[in-house]
Amino acid sequence: MRKKIVAGNWKMNLNLEEGISLAMSVDKYFKDKPLQKSSVILCTPFIHLPGVATVIKNGKVGLGAQNCASEPSGAFTGEISAAMIKSTGAEYVIVGHSERRSYYHEYDKLLNKKTTIALAEGLSVIFCCGEVREEREEKKHFDVVKRQMEAGLFSLTGKEMNKIIIAYEPVWAIGTGLTATPDQAQEMHGYIRGLLKIKYGNSVAEEMTILYGGSCKPSNAVELFSKPDVDGGLIGGASLKKEDFVAIAEAF
Ligand code: PEP
């Protein structure tokens, strides 16, 4: 059965105390809910990971980082390795977020390296893809997403793909208040699943969780998540408010 997931991406927000407090209240909310393990995930700043790991005690809320180094260890000042992330108790890492692609010039080959290393260290990867506004206007969005998938993921084996979650995030919808319509989201998610089917076969394609991200909020989550190939969301701004985040998770 394909897993439904709502993952929060806190980005560079909340100090340690605020982050721990938010994680505690999210964890408390889901304590008695009939929730599959890790169908709610919090992707926090690195420094929050060990503290948040100790307060998400119910085993229902999963924990992830927002980035990892492309090398396993060594003289890379300021970097955080996948193994370090894993050692905090986190099980997930976001790779290829559009903010990393654009502000830090993370390109396809590097993202493939990060993905490979994160998997080797035992993390699951939330792999982001998506086009910018001009690319959609020029009707290049399918080609862009295809290139990101092929270069970022398609060196992996079918078995490794079981540890991947894909997040389709049209860049023009991230943090802008603009949301892809449910039909636009479904169209791209169906396309992505089709690419997976051609490369890996039916089983990998059907089992793949494909999240939508981009100004998802309580008011549009139900409609987005009702689409057959939309298996949940990667939530930025709205994940910083417990009420909004849990309302989106409840939208399933
Ligand atoms: C994100 O950063 O992954 C995201 C989807 O942000 P927002 O929900 O704020 O658009």
Side-chain angles (χ1 to χ4, degrees):
M1 252 283 270
R2 199 187 297 162
K3 197 166 176 186
K4 306 275 189 187
I5 293 173
V6 169
N9 173 15
W10 290 359
K11 310 194 186 194
M12 195 174 71
N13 291 297
L14 307 177
N15 68 25
L16 184 57
E17 197 185 335
E18 291 162 344
I20 301 284
S21 160
L22 177 58
M24 279 173 88
S25 63
V26 169
D27 188 70
K28 190 165 164 225
Y29 179 87
F30 288 111
K31 183 167 167 258
D32 300 316
K33 304 273 175 192
L35 201 70
Q36 239 191 315
K37 185 180 179 291
S38 295
S39 28
V40 171
I41 300 169
L42 301 177
C43 296
T44 78
F46 291 127
I47 65 141
H48 296 57
L49 291 171
V52 170
T54 64
V55 300
I56 48 171
K57 303 185 212 86
N58 297 309
K60 290 185 175 167
V61 176
L63 180 61
Q66 301 167 17
N67 179 32
C68 70
S70 59
E71 300 295 333
S73 64
F76 299 99
T77 302
E79 287 292 275
I80 306 283
S81 72
M84 291 172 188
I85 293 168
K86 179 81 177 159
S87 75
T88 66
E91 292 173 293
Y92 299 86
V93 61
I94 297 174
V95 172
H97 191 280
S98 66
E99 287 150 18
R100 304 281 330 163
R101 288 180 190 263
S102 69
Y103 305 148
Y104 302 98
H105 312 292
E106 296 196 352
Y107 50 94
D108 293 328
K109 204 169 157 204
L110 179 89
L111 298 172
N112 176 259
K113 226 173 149 191
K114 289 189 175 197
T115 301
T116 307
I117 213 153
L119 293 177
E121 296 296 351
L123 294 170
S124 292
V125 171
I126 303 175
F127 184 86
C128 300
C129 58
E131 79 285 358
V132 300
R133 187 169 51 83
E134 293 77 12
E135 290 164 338
R136 179 162 280 264
E137 283 168 0
E138 290 165 18
K139 305 202 184 318
K140 291 184 183 150
H141 44 300
F142 292 116
D143 292 344
V144 169
V145 168
K146 184 170 188 239
R147 190 210 74 225
Q148 292 171 337
M149 296 270 300
E150 286 177 347
L153 293 179
F154 282 9
S155 65
L156 304 178
T157 63
K159 195 164 169 236
E160 286 171 322
M161 287 300 276
N162 294 328
K163 301 271 280 174
I164 300 287
I165 297 161
I166 292 171
Y168 168 58
E169 301 205 299
V171 182
W172 46 271
I174 296 179
T176 57
L178 294 174
T179 315
T181 65
D183 286 342
Q184 283 174 322
Q186 169 56 32
E187 187 184 34
M188 184 59 88
H189 284 224
Y191 176 73
I192 291 171
R193 209 176 297 287
L195 292 176
L196 293 168
K197 197 168 170 178
I198 294 166
K199 171 74 183 166
Y200 292 102
N202 220 26
S203 158
V204 168
E206 284 305 318
E207 287 297 310
M208 181 63 68
T209 298
I210 307 178
L211 309 179
Y212 167 78
S215 299
C216 188
K217 32 188 186 274
S219 59
N220 58 24
V222 174
E223 234 195 312
L224 282 162
F225 298 167
S226 69
K227 292 294 177 185
D229 286 302
V230 179
D231 307 312
L234 181 56
I235 318 298
S239 72
L240 297 170
K241 290 195 200 110
K242 179 215 143 195
E243 284 71 24
D244 286 354
F245 185 60
V246 301
I248 293 170
E250 290 282 4
F252 281 125

